Amino acid sequence: MARHLITSAIPYINGIKHLGNLVGSQLPSDLFARYMRARGHEVMFICATDEHGTPAELAAAKAGKPVEDYCREMHETQAEIARGFRLSFDHFGRSSSDRNTVLTQYFARVLGEQGLIEEKSEKLFYSVDDGRFLPDRYIEGTCPNCGYEKARGDQCENCTKQLDPTDLINPRSAVSGSTNLELRETKHLFLRQKTLREDIRSWIKSKADWPVLTTSIALKWLDDGDGLQDRGITRDLYWGVPAQFEGAPWTGMEGKVFYVWFDAPIEYIAATAEWADANGLDDSAWQRWWRTDKGAQDVTYTEFMGKDNVPFHTLSFPATLIGVNRAGGEQWKMVDYIKSFNYLNYDGGQFSTSQGRGVFMDQALSILPSDYWRWWLLSHAPESSDSEFTWENFQTSVNKDLADVLGNFVSRITKFCRSKFGEALPEGGSWGEREDALIAELSTRLAAYESFMEAKEVRKAATELRAIWVAGNEYLQSVGPWTVFKTDPAQAAAQTRLALNLMRLYAILSEPFIPDAAGLILAALKTEDRSWPTDIRAALTHLPAGHAFETPEVLFRKIADEEREEWQKRFSGVRS
């Protein structure tokens, strides 16, 4: 048994997330966590809401609520939706937790004592009309790199280029839209990333198995232009982790908070501590996942995220941990593998939380159960390039993959058995060449499926799983137990018994992708044995003759053309 620490990029608190956010981090990390648990490994799967910074303040102001109340309510909403999508987090935390405040300030103090944080005066935009300094995400303008007109002052979400507010063309306040901006001098804390550049480079270069997307983005930020720059880690905001605290090796930072991209990744650690607190465990319970000097030396840590989050997880957060580890003594676990994803686009454009464009997670669940969405999103995950959600493709995938292949197999064999043998696995008959051929094919495909899952090759794993489903349908079609029954009932019984065992195999293999359907299949077969198959022949004899079952309801219904057209029309605009 191995130990796997798995984190999903933590979603901003500013509203319900869209399907692009879901497939870019939370859903594939859940797939991997479920698979690793199924294989008998010890898993700690962590996520949280990212509650500090500009997005939270702006969203709360728009909602007319105090930011603390808004964040608490939206955390509950996001947690409920996560449950609706069957995201199996061990803990879904909050970056505004006391645990994160303590850890963030502690890391900052250690970095400061190591000489890795310095105070700098800089000129920042001050909005005369708003009467305040504007942190980078409070400023919008045109990206100088790609021309996107709604780029933020920290990063363009269109081309992912890191920006400073002064880089923007025609900058304006994101609070009021005012262009009456002045550059005024203010003091902030900076993480001296440049001094850690070669340490970070060596660390990245040691990760030869990382996806090209992850490594290429990291190295681009490390080397393009003037290369990795020192990064401001404080902002002029009310809501966040206070930058001036007892024991801080600096003064004069009252009224400032740590930049959200400094404290947010630390929440991965803090959320694990929150998990320990929630379960009445002491600090050793979470430290064994995060401190290599406290038992985490055998942990494999995997992060899942969209490509826009890669720079912060390959440069900024590692810089924090490398710097803290330099102090000696305690040693914090750094990520072993970063699985990054491209963008999922929506019907010819981009999904956008800020613009309300696309299908959002709550809306999706109001239309169809989570398995429909989980299957399409994972089988079309934007791994090697951006992918696009279209209603036509979604309908085709649901109808063909889920209804015609898996659903049809379950329906055909259970109804046939009930009509000819009753609702119990029939006895009699023996296997022959066709059964041996099926076992050989399934054994080969299972090995490929496991290999793709372990490599986190999501689309390839989905393709292999579908092929495993198809093999069962082709077997049934080939042997035709409904025809064989007329002349050799015993042989038909053997074929039926194998197919019903194949249902159980499908449930176990499919659970990481479609957990609800897997649960329904196992419930119909009246078994709770989810043991992962190590031998296909043995798996296909697991349920003995005489074992009772129930004929389940339709696993997956087909999407009608009229429904698809109505949904396409309903979601053609933007969410209000």
Coordinates of all heavy atoms in Angstrom, one line a residue, residues 14-19 21 62 148 150 157 346 349-363 570-576:
N14 N -15.7 33.4 -5.5 CA -16.6 34.4 -6.1 C -17.6 33.8 -7.1 O -17.6 34.0 -8.3 CB -15.7 35.4 -6.9 CG -14.9 34.8 -8.1 OD1 -14.5 33.7 -8.0 ND2 -14.7 35.6 -9.1
G15 N -18.5 33.0 -6.5 CA -19.6 32.4 -7.3 C -19.4 31.0 -7.6 O -18.4 30.4 -7.3
I16 N -20.5 30.4 -8.1 CA -20.5 29.0 -8.5 C -19.6 28.8 -9.7 O -19.7 29.6 -10.7 CB -22.0 28.6 -8.7 CG1 -22.7 28.6 -7.4 CG2 -22.0 27.1 -9.3 CD1 -24.2 28.5 -7.6
K17 N -18.9 27.7 -9.8 CA -17.9 27.5 -10.8 C -18.6 26.8 -12.1 O -19.6 26.2 -11.9 CB -16.8 26.6 -10.4 CG -16.0 27.1 -9.1 CD -15.3 28.4 -9.4 CE -16.0 29.6 -8.8 NZ -15.3 30.9 -8.9
H18 N -18.0 27.0 -13.2 CA -18.5 26.4 -14.4 C -17.9 25.1 -14.7 O -16.9 24.7 -14.0 CB -18.3 27.4 -15.6 CG -16.9 27.9 -15.8 ND1 -15.9 27.1 -16.2 CD2 -16.4 29.1 -15.7 CE1 -14.8 27.8 -16.4 NE2 -15.1 29.0 -16.0
L19 N -18.3 24.4 -15.8 CA -17.8 23.1 -16.1 C -16.4 23.1 -16.5 O -15.7 22.1 -16.3 CB -18.7 22.5 -17.2 CG -20.1 22.2 -16.9 CD1 -20.8 21.5 -18.1 CD2 -20.3 21.4 -15.6
N21 N -14.0 24.9 -15.0 CA -13.3 24.8 -13.7 C -13.3 23.4 -13.2 O -12.3 22.9 -12.7 CB -14.0 25.7 -12.7 CG -13.8 27.2 -13.0 OD1 -14.8 27.9 -13.0 ND2 -12.6 27.7 -13.3
K62 N -20.8 43.1 -4.7 CA -21.9 43.0 -5.7 C -23.1 42.3 -5.1 O -24.3 42.7 -5.5 CB -21.4 42.1 -6.9 CG -22.4 42.0 -8.0 CD -21.8 41.2 -9.2 CE -22.8 41.0 -10.3 NZ -22.3 40.2 -11.5
Y148 N -6.4 41.0 -25.4 CA -7.6 40.7 -24.7 C -8.1 41.9 -23.8 O -7.3 42.5 -23.1 CB -7.4 39.5 -23.8 CG -8.7 39.1 -23.0 CD1 -9.8 38.7 -23.6 CD2 -8.6 39.0 -21.6 CE1 -10.9 38.2 -22.9 CE2 -9.7 38.5 -20.9 CZ -10.9 38.2 -21.5 OH -12.0 37.7 -20.8
K150 N -10.2 42.4 -21.4 CA -10.6 42.3 -19.9 C -9.5 41.6 -19.1 O -9.8 40.9 -18.2 CB -11.9 41.5 -19.8 CG -13.1 42.3 -20.4 CD -14.4 41.6 -20.2 CE -15.6 42.4 -20.7 NZ -16.9 41.7 -20.4
E157 N -6.2 36.2 -18.4 CA -6.8 34.9 -18.4 C -6.9 34.3 -19.7 O -7.2 33.1 -19.9 CB -8.1 34.9 -17.7 CG -9.2 35.6 -18.4 CD -10.6 35.5 -17.7 OE1 -10.7 35.0 -16.6 OE2 -11.6 35.8 -18.4
Y346 N -16.5 26.8 -24.7 CA -17.9 26.5 -24.7 C -18.6 27.1 -26.0 O -18.6 28.3 -26.2 CB -18.6 27.2 -23.5 CG -20.1 27.1 -23.5 CD1 -20.7 25.8 -23.2 CD2 -20.9 28.1 -23.8 CE1 -22.1 25.7 -23.2 CE2 -22.3 28.0 -23.8 CZ -22.9 26.8 -23.5 OH -24.2 26.6 -23.5
G349 N -16.8 29.8 -27.9 CA -16.2 30.8 -27.1 C -15.6 30.3 -25.8 O -15.3 29.1 -25.7
Q350 N -15.3 31.1 -24.8 CA -14.7 30.6 -23.6 C -15.8 30.6 -22.4 O -16.7 31.4 -22.4 CB -13.6 31.6 -23.1 CG -12.3 31.5 -23.9 CD -11.2 32.3 -23.3 OE1 -11.4 33.3 -22.7 NE2 -10.0 31.8 -23.4
F351 N -15.6 29.5 -21.6 CA -16.3 29.6 -20.3 C -15.8 30.7 -19.5 O -14.6 31.0 -19.6 CB -16.0 28.3 -19.5 CG -16.9 27.1 -19.9 CD1 -16.5 26.1 -20.7 CD2 -18.2 27.0 -19.3 CE1 -17.2 25.0 -21.0 CE2 -18.9 25.8 -19.5 CZ -18.5 24.9 -20.4
S352 N -16.6 31.4 -18.7 CA -16.1 32.5 -17.9 C -16.9 32.7 -16.7 O -18.2 33.0 -16.8 CB -16.0 33.8 -18.7 OG -15.6 34.9 -17.9
T353 N -16.3 32.5 -15.5 CA -17.1 32.8 -14.3 C -17.4 34.3 -14.2 O -18.6 34.7 -13.9 CB -16.3 32.4 -13.1 OG1 -16.0 31.0 -13.1 CG2 -17.0 32.7 -11.8
S354 N -16.4 35.1 -14.5 CA -16.7 36.6 -14.3 C -17.7 37.1 -15.3 O -18.4 38.0 -15.0 CB -15.3 37.3 -14.5 OG -14.8 37.1 -15.8
Q355 N -17.8 36.5 -16.5 CA -18.7 37.0 -17.5 C -20.0 36.1 -17.5 O -20.9 36.4 -18.2 CB -18.1 36.9 -18.9 CG -16.9 37.8 -19.0 CD -16.2 37.7 -20.3 OE1 -16.8 37.6 -21.4 NE2 -14.8 37.6 -20.3
G356 N -20.1 35.1 -16.7 CA -21.3 34.3 -16.6 C -21.6 33.5 -17.8 O -22.7 33.2 -18.2
R357 N -20.5 33.1 -18.6 CA -20.8 32.4 -19.9 C -20.5 30.9 -19.7 O -19.5 30.5 -19.2 CB -19.8 33.0 -20.9 CG -20.2 32.5 -22.3 CD -19.3 33.1 -23.4 NE -19.9 32.8 -24.7 CZ -19.7 31.6 -25.4 NH1 -18.9 30.8 -24.8 NH2 -20.2 31.4 -26.5
G358 N -21.5 30.1 -20.2 CA -21.3 28.7 -20.2 C -22.3 28.0 -19.3 O -23.3 28.6 -18.9
V359 N -22.1 26.7 -19.0 CA -22.9 26.0 -18.1 C -22.2 25.9 -16.7 O -21.1 25.5 -16.7 CB -23.2 24.6 -18.6 CG1 -24.2 23.8 -17.7 CG2 -23.7 24.6 -20.1
F360 N -22.9 26.3 -15.7 CA -22.3 26.3 -14.4 C -22.8 25.0 -13.6 O -23.7 24.3 -14.0 CB -22.7 27.5 -13.6 CG -22.0 28.7 -14.2 CD1 -22.4 29.3 -15.4 CD2 -20.9 29.3 -13.6 CE1 -21.8 30.4 -16.0 CE2 -20.3 30.4 -14.1 CZ -20.7 30.9 -15.3
M361 N -22.0 24.7 -12.6 CA -22.1 23.4 -12.0 C -23.5 23.1 -11.4 O -24.1 22.0 -11.5 CB -21.1 23.2 -10.9 CG -19.6 23.1 -11.4 SD -18.3 23.2 -10.2 CE -18.6 21.7 -9.2
D362 N -24.1 24.1 -10.8 CA -25.5 24.0 -10.2 C -26.5 23.8 -11.4 O -27.4 23.0 -11.2 CB -25.9 25.1 -9.3 CG -25.8 26.5 -10.1 OD1 -25.1 26.6 -11.0 OD2 -26.6 27.4 -9.6
Q363 N -26.3 24.5 -12.5 CA -27.2 24.4 -13.6 C -27.1 23.0 -14.2 O -28.1 22.4 -14.6 CB -26.9 25.4 -14.7 CG -27.1 26.8 -14.2 CD -26.5 27.9 -15.2 OE1 -25.6 27.6 -15.9 NE2 -27.1 29.0 -15.2
R570 N -31.2 27.7 -24.1 CA -31.2 28.3 -22.7 C -29.9 28.8 -22.3 O -29.8 29.8 -21.6 CB -31.7 27.2 -21.7 CG -32.0 27.8 -20.3 CD -32.1 26.8 -19.2 NE -33.0 25.7 -19.5 CZ -33.2 24.7 -18.7 NH1 -32.5 24.6 -17.5 NH2 -34.0 23.6 -19.0
F571 N -28.8 28.1 -22.7 CA -27.5 28.5 -22.2 C -26.6 29.2 -23.3 O -25.4 29.1 -23.4 CB -26.7 27.3 -21.7 CG -27.4 26.7 -20.5 CD1 -28.1 25.5 -20.6 CD2 -27.3 27.3 -19.3 CE1 -28.7 24.9 -19.6 CE2 -28.0 26.7 -18.2 CZ -28.7 25.5 -18.3
S572 N -27.3 29.9 -24.2 CA -26.6 30.5 -25.3 C -26.1 31.9 -25.0 O -25.3 32.5 -25.6 CB -27.5 30.6 -26.6 OG -28.7 31.4 -26.3
G573 N -26.7 32.5 -23.9 CA -26.3 33.8 -23.4 C -25.3 33.8 -22.3 O -24.4 32.9 -22.2
V574 N -25.6 34.6 -21.3 CA -24.7 34.6 -20.1 C -25.6 34.5 -18.9 O -26.8 34.9 -18.9 CB -23.9 35.9 -20.0 CG1 -22.9 36.0 -21.1 CG2 -24.8 37.2 -19.9
R575 N -25.0 34.0 -17.8 CA -25.8 33.9 -16.5 C -25.9 35.2 -15.9 O -25.0 36.0 -15.8 CB -25.0 32.9 -15.6 CG -25.7 32.7 -14.3 CD -25.0 31.6 -13.5 NE -25.7 31.2 -12.3 CZ -25.6 30.1 -11.7 NH1 -24.8 29.2 -12.2 NH2 -26.4 29.8 -10.6
S576 N -27.1 35.5 -15.5 CA -27.4 36.9 -14.9 C -26.8 36.9 -13.5 O -26.6 35.9 -12.8 CB -28.9 37.1 -14.8 OG -29.5 36.1 -14.0

